[in-house]
Amino acid sequence: MAALIAENFRFLSLFFKSKDVMIFNGLVALGTVGSEELFSVVAFQCPCSPARNYIYGLAAIGVPALALFLIGVIWNNHTWNLVAECHKRGTKNFSAAATFLLFGSIMGRAAVAPVTWSVISLLRGEAYICALSEFVKPSSLDKFPSEYGAETLARFPCRDVPANLTKFRDEVTRRLRYESQLFGWLLIGIVAVLVFLTKCLKHCCSPLSYRQEAYWAQYRSNEDKLFRRTAEVHSRILAAKNVKHFFGFVALDKEEKELVQEFPVEGVQPSPQWNAITGVYIYRENKGFPLYSRLHKWAKGVEGNGPTPEGHELLFLAS
């Protein structure tokens, strides 16, 4: 039982695997801040109408956040690796903890932009004030004229109110801005604590040493760069070969001619090879030697996904 618990906890190292992830998340956050500022200046216009304020204010915060979240899920390589894994091999090779933490990684990274959007929206306060101004109780305002009600309070964000209500408008705006910014700072604090706890658990539960984990991150980055670069060149040369076969010649520039001469391409990789290197990867060791990726595993000729007498697998998801 203890071994099973320890094995499942190793999946916590799925989060925040490398500095590249942190840098990417920071760039996403900065881009979201700029987008939110532009949206507030150009697009946000409170309708200042009862019932509409609440819907519009929540939509101004929630709808862009939802859109950013979905974009984050789509852009995450883990999403499509998981889709490929389920399509080709199913989820039989993953425990419940692995599946949960894989989804957690996808959702966690996708949440960077929407959380940033929500925090900036709350700190600015305009959407919150627009949404909740009509719900302020007139009785909570000292000497508020009884002839005015929710319809007048709903117009406070637009500053289109009678002169005798200016001080009440300022008080309501100040009160709601305080609440909005308080929620924003609380959200920042909660996210910071979660990130801190996740980083601590990741380092405590990782089966790899710090240096080996850093090496693994460098290997994955280099393998991905070289694979993409080589795939681009390979596809270009193969395309040139097929175009030449069709027309009898192919119009190549100097660089492409050098590539064709230097790297002769005889054929294409069969589908089983592409399937073997595609999908979610779990860190494995074979005869004590690490296998850092699906491509590495394929190159070493290691078959199967389960543990074998010749190999030992540490269930450790790659980010």
Side-chain angles (χ1 to χ4, degrees), residues 5-313:
I5 294 175
E7 176 183 290
N8 288 333
F9 265 85
R10 285 173 181 146
F11 289 112
L12 290 172
S13 56
L14 175 66
F15 300 93
F16 303 102
K17 186 70 70 203
S18 67
K19 294 180 180 178
D20 291 340
V21 173
M22 301 299 291
I23 293 173
F24 175 77
N25 289 343
L27 292 176
V28 170
L30 288 175
T32 306
V33 171
S35 300
E36 204 282 336
E37 291 290 336
L38 181 62
F39 173 82
S40 297
V41 173
V42 177
F44 184 82
Q45 294 291 335
C46 184
C48 293
S49 175
R52 295 180 181 177
N53 281 14
Y54 185 70
I55 297 174
Y56 184 80
L58 292 184
I61 299 176
V63 173
L66 176 61
L68 290 170
F69 177 78
L70 294 177
I71 292 172
V73 171
I74 293 172
W75 278 358
N76 195 325
N77 290 334
H78 275 316
T79 302
W80 308 115
N81 282 334
L82 180 61
V83 171
E85 188 74 23
C86 294
H87 177 66
K88 297 297 181 182
R89 289 173 283 270
T91 58
K92 59 184 178 181
N93 299 315
F94 297 99
S95 66
T99 304
F100 173 77
L101 289 175
L102 180 59
F103 274 106
S105 174
I106 295 173
M107 301 302 152
R109 293 191 187 182
V112 173
V115 168
T116 303
W117 179 278
S118 300
V119 166
I120 298 301
S121 296
L122 289 172
L123 292 180
R124 290 182 62 90
E126 280 136 352
Y128 187 91
I129 294 171
C130 177
L132 297 180
S133 62
E134 64 183 282
F135 297 104
V136 176
K137 294 182 179 180
S139 59
S140 66
L141 301 173
D142 187 31
K143 298 181 181 180
F144 187 80
S146 59
E147 64 269 22
Y148 299 108
E151 184 174 353
T152 302
L153 289 169
R155 301 196 60 80
F156 277 10
C158 295
R159 302 179 180 274
D160 183 18
V161 294
N164 63 324
L165 297 181
T166 300
K167 66 174 183 178
F168 298 107
R169 182 201 66 203
D170 294 339
E171 181 180 349
V172 169
T173 300
R174 183 168 55 252
R175 182 188 303 179
L176 293 178
R177 192 179 301 278
Y178 153 76
E179 293 178 1
S180 179
Q181 292 184 346
L182 178 61
F183 289 139
W185 290 120
L186 288 176
L187 183 57
I188 291 175
I190 292 171
V191 171
V193 170
L194 289 176
V195 171
F196 173 75
L197 293 177
T198 302
K199 290 285 288 183
C200 291
L201 287 173
K202 177 257 180 182
H203 285 292
C204 291
C205 301
S206 173
L208 304 180
S209 67
Y210 172 78
R211 290 189 180 275
Q212 187 178 8
E213 190 174 329
Y215 176 85
W216 187 24
Q218 291 174 345
Y219 172 85
R220 291 198 312 272
S221 177
N222 289 327
E223 181 189 83
D224 182 67
K225 291 177 183 177
L226 291 173
F227 187 91
R228 291 176 182 273
R229 192 186 310 162
T230 304
E232 195 277 331
V233 172
H234 185 281
S235 62
R236 187 185 304 183
I237 295 174
L238 181 62
K241 181 179 179 180
N242 292 333
V243 170
K244 182 177 180 180
H245 183 74
F246 183 82
F247 286 107
F249 74 96
V250 58
L252 301 174
D253 58 28
K254 182 179 179 180
E255 179 184 357
E256 290 171 335
K257 290 179 181 178
E258 293 175 352
L259 289 176
V260 170
Q261 292 175 357
E262 185 176 359
F263 305 110
V265 172
E266 300 299 332
V268 296
Q269 288 67 33
S271 294
Q273 289 187 8
W274 286 103
N275 293 337
I277 67 170
T278 302
V280 178
Y281 181 68
I282 299 179
Y283 176 82
R284 289 171 171 82
E285 289 184 358
N286 182 260
K287 298 180 180 180
F289 292 95
L291 299 173
Y292 289 120
S293 68
R294 283 196 170 276
L295 181 60
H296 189 189
K297 178 184 173 184
W298 172 85
K300 289 295 184 181
V302 179
E303 300 292 340
N305 292 314
T308 64
E310 296 79 16
H312 174 63
E313 296 182 347

